[in-house]
Amino acid sequence: MKVAKFGGTSMASAEQLIKVANIVKADEDRKIIVVSAPGKRFKEDTKTTDLLIALGESCLKGENTDDKLMAIVDRYKEIAENLNLSNEIIDEISTNLHELIQADQTNTDRFMDGLKASGEDNSAKLFAFFLNSTGVAASYVNPKDAGIVVTDDPGNAQTLPETYENLKKLKGRNEVIVVPGFFGFSPEGNLVTFSRGGSDITGSIIAAGVDAELYENFTDVDSVFVANPNIVDDPKEIKELTYKEMRELSYAGFSVFHDEALIPAFRAGIPVCIKNTNNPSAPGTLIVAERDFSKDPVAGIASDSGFCSIYVSKYLMNREIGFGRRLLQILEDEGISYEHMPSGIDDTSIILRENQLCDEKEQRVLDRIKTELNVDTISIRHNQAMIMVVGEGMTSYVGISAKATAAFARAGVNIEMINQGSSEVSMMFAVAESDAPKAVVALYNEFFTEAANQEELPLVLR
């Protein structure tokens, strides 16, 4: 049995749904289909989820929502009409949306979760209806009926262990099952969404629960690339990479796959294949537990912007018991999470997402660190980008970091910070946001061009 998840671009139009249906029909092992809400039909288009968020916000403000509601209904109606489906399915979707905007608004987070989840929910109903119209026996299955149980944390649900046992009952069904992604239900029966992009998570959870032979994630690219094609011209495709490598790349800016989605598949040992709805014959990128990294010790290069770093220096910091704990306690008190924390004997830097700091909070954090920890120096640097060089094979070869820093030097990029995780799967470089594109290009040329492939790195014998 295979579980196949189709993203927003795959569900955006009638033309795309026909492609998805053909993919489902082409392999009888594709028994469970997870779908996203309809995405963009063209570059300037608006995703259905964003339309739903705007509708919900208008509801909460007490504004007239007729136009916003009709725009969403029309998205589904256009798809249904172009597929020659009866009005029955659109009437069902329209009724559902009208009921949702009339729901209790006392808990705004729960109200918004219900509206946002309807994008995937109605997409699944529509696709199951379409499959049946083509002669494929298909059933829409709500996540509650499927048994997806999650924590009651609106917008950030986490899967509870009983989910995987509950999902086993789906294995015995003969028809194609269509499940909406992005949400589950709390033990109390409340609908709760995952973080944005969480349909990937649903697919991975179900694949683990039914012990699928393969989890296919269909998107709009033939494969994962070793670098962002918007930065590097015609980058190499990645044929195979490990769960850990994909996790690091997703975290650091690869938008192909939700960074939390690999965990259920990884724990269950299920391979994941990223494929293209528009070119399903392409082999795609296979994500596995282990790979041969003798030719490609570096799997990929990722970059992400929107960071800042707080630099703290204090003489004999390393001898002061509890210093790190008290420093992080200040961040916790202010509701701030951190990304990296490289340190020396007398100084440390804390890298965090810049959007967590308003001017008032930033000044309060700096003042508290200065006074409560009695530090010698404290400063903050804004507009930073994180560049990640990722590869499980890096630890087995000499000279990877030297090649990376040499590439930065040749490109004239100043490295403001270097950090290597304890797993040695990735190296992180902090640079000015304005330097990030040329840094990525420089690293790509260093590790992935023909000249780079001809240079052999010495293997570390362990």
Side-chain angles (χ1 to χ4, degrees):
M1 175 186 286
K2 296 178 183 177
V3 174
K5 180 263 175 180
F6 292 87
T9 55
S10 302
M11 307 303 295
S13 67
E15 180 185 6
Q16 291 299 95
L17 260 68
I18 291 171
K19 293 177 184 177
V20 174
N22 288 335
I23 290 169
V24 173
K25 293 176 185 178
D27 189 342
E28 62 181 16
D29 288 335
R30 292 184 177 121
K31 285 295 187 183
I32 302 180
I33 310 302
V34 178
V35 299
S36 295
K40 291 185 177 185
R41 295 161 291 186
F42 45 88
K43 187 176 181 181
E44 297 78 18
D45 200 12
T46 304
K47 296 178 179 180
T48 303
T49 302
D50 291 326
L51 294 175
L52 287 162
I53 291 171
L55 172 64
E57 290 172 345
S58 289
C59 287
L60 293 172
K61 293 175 183 176
E63 299 173 347
N64 185 291
T65 59
D66 290 348
D67 290 344
K68 288 183 172 65
L69 179 61
M70 186 56 63
I72 297 167
V73 174
D74 283 347
R75 286 293 295 272
Y76 292 102
K77 185 177 181 181
E78 178 186 274
I79 295 171
E81 288 180 345
N82 288 334
L83 293 173
N84 297 315
L85 300 179
S86 69
N87 291 332
E88 176 186 347
I89 184 63
I90 294 306
D91 290 343
E92 181 179 351
I93 291 171
S94 179
T95 299
N96 171 252
L97 287 167
H98 277 88
E99 290 174 350
L100 286 170
I101 63 173
Q102 298 298 323
D104 180 18
Q105 299 179 16
T106 306
N107 186 323
T108 58
D109 289 337
R110 200 171 300 291
F111 172 75
M112 290 297 293
D113 260 13
L115 262 180
K116 287 187 293 183
S118 72
E120 276 74 11
D121 199 36
N122 287 320
S123 184
K125 293 173 186 175
L126 177 59
F127 185 60
F129 194 89
F130 172 53
L131 283 177
N132 280 301
S133 76
T134 67
V136 176
S139 295
Y140 155 82
V141 176
N142 185 276
K144 187 173 187 177
D145 297 327
I148 299 176
V149 187
V150 299
T151 57
D152 200 355
D153 186 8
N156 193 35
Q158 303 295 313
T159 314
L160 293 177
E162 57 263 39
T163 293
Y164 299 100
E165 186 65 30
N166 295 340
L167 286 167
K168 289 181 180 179
K169 64 178 179 287
L170 298 180
K171 296 177 68 174
R173 299 179 61 161
N174 293 322
E175 77 272 35
V176 173
I177 298 169
V178 184
V179 184
F182 186 42
F183 67 99
F185 286 82
S186 71
E188 296 76 25
N190 296 317
L191 184 153
V192 195
T193 64
F194 297 113
S195 56
R196 188 76 186 260
S199 292
D200 288 344
I201 300 175
T202 302
S204 186
I205 290 167
I206 293 176
V210 301
D211 192 26
E213 65 180 90
L214 181 67
Y215 170 36
E216 297 176 307
N217 193 288
F218 283 85
T219 179
D220 55 1
V221 294
D222 280 354
S223 66
V224 178
F225 298 100
V226 297
N228 188 339
N230 294 317
I231 298 175
V232 176
D233 292 333
D234 194 25
K236 288 180 61 177
E237 296 179 354
I238 302 177
K239 295 180 179 179
E240 192 173 79
L241 75 167
T242 68
Y243 297 113
K244 287 184 179 180
E245 289 169 338
M246 188 68 220
R247 172 80 171 88
E248 293 277 349
L249 290 168
S250 296
Y251 158 77
F254 271 42
S255 59
V256 174
F257 206 76
H258 194 293
D259 63 338
E260 294 178 31
L262 283 172
I263 297 172
F266 165 70
R267 289 175 176 164
I270 296 168
V272 179
C273 191
I274 297 175
K275 295 177 71 69
N276 190 351
T277 300
N278 302 312
N279 186 21
S281 62
T285 297
L286 191 64
I287 305 171
V288 293
E290 297 180 352
R291 70 175 179 91
D292 177 10
F293 47 72
S294 59
K295 292 183 178 179
D296 296 302
V298 175
I301 302 156
S303 66
D304 199 7
S305 58
F307 295 91
C308 65
S309 62
I310 299 174
Y311 171 76
V312 178
S313 176
K314 184 177 183 181
Y315 183 58
L316 297 180
M317 178 191 296
N318 64 314
R319 298 188 186 180
E320 188 172 332
I321 297 173
F323 183 91
R325 174 186 56 78
R326 288 184 288 134
L327 175 58
L328 294 179
Q329 184 64 55
I330 293 172
L331 296 184
E332 182 179 342
D333 292 345
E334 298 291 343
I336 298 171
S337 61
Y338 73 97
E339 305 292 325
H340 303 275
M341 194 176 173
S343 61
I345 57 172
D346 292 328
D347 53 16
T348 189
S349 291
I350 307 169
I351 300 170
L352 45 93
R353 297 277 179 179
E354 205 156 26
N355 59 11
Q356 297 181 93
L357 294 177
C358 60
D359 291 342
E360 180 182 343
K361 182 181 284 190
E362 175 183 316
Q363 193 56 53
R364 188 166 61 246
V365 168
L366 296 180
D367 289 343
R368 286 191 62 186
I369 293 173
K370 176 72 175 175
T371 56
E372 294 178 27
L373 301 182
N374 194 28
V375 301
D376 300 323
T377 305
I378 183 170
S379 61
I380 186 167
R381 183 169 290 176
H382 293 281
N383 302 316
Q384 292 194 303
M386 298 295 116
I387 312 293
M388 301 282 280
V389 178
V390 176
E392 285 206 65
M394 295 194 302
T395 184
S396 299
Y397 289 86
V398 175
I400 298 288
S401 58
K403 285 171 67 67
T405 54
F408 281 108
R410 283 193 293 273
V413 174
N414 181 49
I415 301 172
E416 300 182 2
M417 191 182 306
I418 301 176
N419 188 36
Q420 183 164 16
S422 57
S423 66
E424 300 185 24
V425 175
S426 64
M427 289 185 292
M428 183 277 291
F429 301 89
V431 303
E433 280 186 1
S434 57
D435 284 338
K438 62 180 179 180
V440 171
V441 171
L443 289 168
Y444 179 83
N445 290 336
E446 188 69 34
F447 290 108
F448 294 106
T449 60
E450 187 174 340
N453 291 336
Q454 291 173 355
E455 180 184 348
E456 276 197 31
L457 291 167
L459 182 67
V460 177
L461 299 177
R462 295 180 182 273

